[in-house]
Amino acid sequence: MNSLHGHPRIFAGNASRRLAADIAAHLGLELDKCEISKFSDGEISVNIAESVRGCDCFIIQSTCEPVNDNLMELLILIDALRRSSAERVTAVIPYFGYARQDRKAKSHDPISSRLVADMITVAGADRVLTMDIHAQQIQGFFKIPMDHLVGAPTLATHFLDRIKNGSSDDFVCLSPDFGSVSRARHFAHQLMDCPIAIVDKRRPRNNVSEVMNLIGDVKGKHVLILDDMIDTAGTLRNAAVAVTEAGALSVSAAATHGVLSGKAIENIENSPLSELVLLDTIELPEHKRSPKIKVLSTAEYFARAIECVHNDHPMTPMINSLYDQVCN
């Protein structure tokens, strides 16, 4: 490893302790010690319990619910490590909150994801490592390097065996909206070039969607709905109902981030879905678990990415090797 920094130092925020421990284990390390607590008025307190002078530090913290608390934890952890003379600080944000506020949808709207990017930079992060950010342009909001991982290889591996046991023509990859078509097409390519279909939806207000049209043939097919995140699962439920009514034999879904807010679990359990596969970028509490939900680990993936950053190796060959493993 890079002798300049020794081995990577891995710190966990409260949102991602389980994932951080798994990442550290894949690196043959233990989590570094830090104490995160709250004062009586709700302010967050962070104490780094050991020296990090001259070290290469990685903070594992998704900015999921409670979003603002977890974001502040991340910012304060960055500041604490910077003030403790860490040589480099990388914010590893498996799920990047505020990513859906990436533009002015109407007059006088903020661009909150740009503000969050500025806050992370000003706090002292040297680079950011994230996965399947909702809007690609957010990479341009940062003035520091940002490495962007994709969850598709891990998700594709889960479904590929059942496709290999049948025919790719028996399966359809469904995009839940026009904005996700390129993602669905790329995913379908990994699934032995199975055909794709598209849901034309309208969103009358936030967190509410309506299926208007189904573009593509799903009759007599096994349908796999792909999205980057599942929030209230309203879109997912409506899409599953639409393809079932159109004659689909079965409906499964896959997504990188399980936000699962509001009535998400109710929507999932009351839908025709047979399975929802998520990655562990957001830890699911017990009340958000369901027999229909399966969670896959990203720990080895993030560990390999951290090794690339630590050793100043390019990320692309590592990501390409994952795609090659799926395709072969």
Side-chain angles (χ1 to χ4, degrees), residues 116-181:
V116 171
D118 287 344
M119 292 166 67
I120 291 170
T121 304
V122 171
D126 293 289
R127 66 189 306 130
V128 169
L129 173 62
T130 190
M131 177 174 281
D132 280 339
I133 201 162
H134 185 71
Q136 296 294 320
Q137 62 264 31
I138 292 174
Q139 296 178 69
F141 292 173
F142 283 91
K143 297 179 181 178
I144 55 177
M146 182 186 208
D147 295 304
H148 183 238
L149 305 180
V150 290
T154 305
L155 294 169
T157 301
H158 176 79
F159 291 99
L160 202 55
D161 285 343
R162 69 184 69 173
I163 293 177
K164 287 179 178 178
N165 290 332
S167 166
S168 60
D169 291 335
D170 296 331
F171 292 82
V172 172
C173 187
L174 180 75
S175 174
D177 52 43
F178 281 104
S180 300
V181 170

Side-chain angles (χ1 to χ4, degrees), residues 97-238:
Y98 283 102
R100 286 173 284 183
Q101 299 186 48
D102 61 298
R103 65 194 185 284
K104 294 184 68 170
K106 57 184 184 296
S107 180
H108 311 305
D109 274 0
I111 304 179
S112 302
S113 54
R114 171 59 192 264
L115 174 62
V116 171
D118 287 344
M119 292 166 67
I120 291 170
T121 304
V122 171
D126 293 289
R127 66 189 306 130
V128 169
L129 173 62
T130 190
M131 177 174 281
D132 280 339
I133 201 162
H134 185 71
Q136 296 294 320
Q137 62 264 31
I138 292 174
Q139 296 178 69
F141 292 173
F142 283 91
K143 297 179 181 178
I144 55 177
M146 182 186 208
D147 295 304
H148 183 238
L149 305 180
V150 290
T154 305
L155 294 169
T157 301
H158 176 79
F159 291 99
L160 202 55
D161 285 343
R162 69 184 69 173
I163 293 177
K164 287 179 178 178
N165 290 332
S167 166
S168 60
D169 291 335
D170 296 331
F171 292 82
V172 172
C173 187
L174 180 75
S175 174
D177 52 43
F178 281 104
S180 300
V181 170
S182 60
R183 182 185 297 113
R185 185 178 292 114
H186 190 61
F187 194 67
H189 174 67
Q190 296 176 67
L191 299 178
M192 300 177 65
D193 286 317
C194 69
I196 70 168
I198 306 166
V199 169
D200 176 22
K201 74 177 182 182
R202 298 292 184 268
R203 193 176 291 280
R205 59 185 184 278
N206 289 341
N207 295 124
V208 176
S209 69
E210 299 174 352
V211 172
M212 305 299 291
N213 295 293
L214 180 62
I215 303 169
D217 182 19
V218 298
K219 186 175 182 179
K221 307 287 187 180
H222 299 286
V223 175
L224 171 59
I225 304 170
L226 178 72
D227 212 344
D228 64 324
M229 70 172 68
I230 307 298
D231 191 353
T232 63
T235 295
L236 183 62
R237 179 201 60 208
N238 291 343

Side-chain angles (χ1 to χ4, degrees), residues 290-303:
S290 164
K292 290 188 176 184
I293 296 175
K294 180 178 179 62
V295 180
L296 306 180
S297 174
T298 58
E300 183 178 2
Y301 195 172
F302 274 107

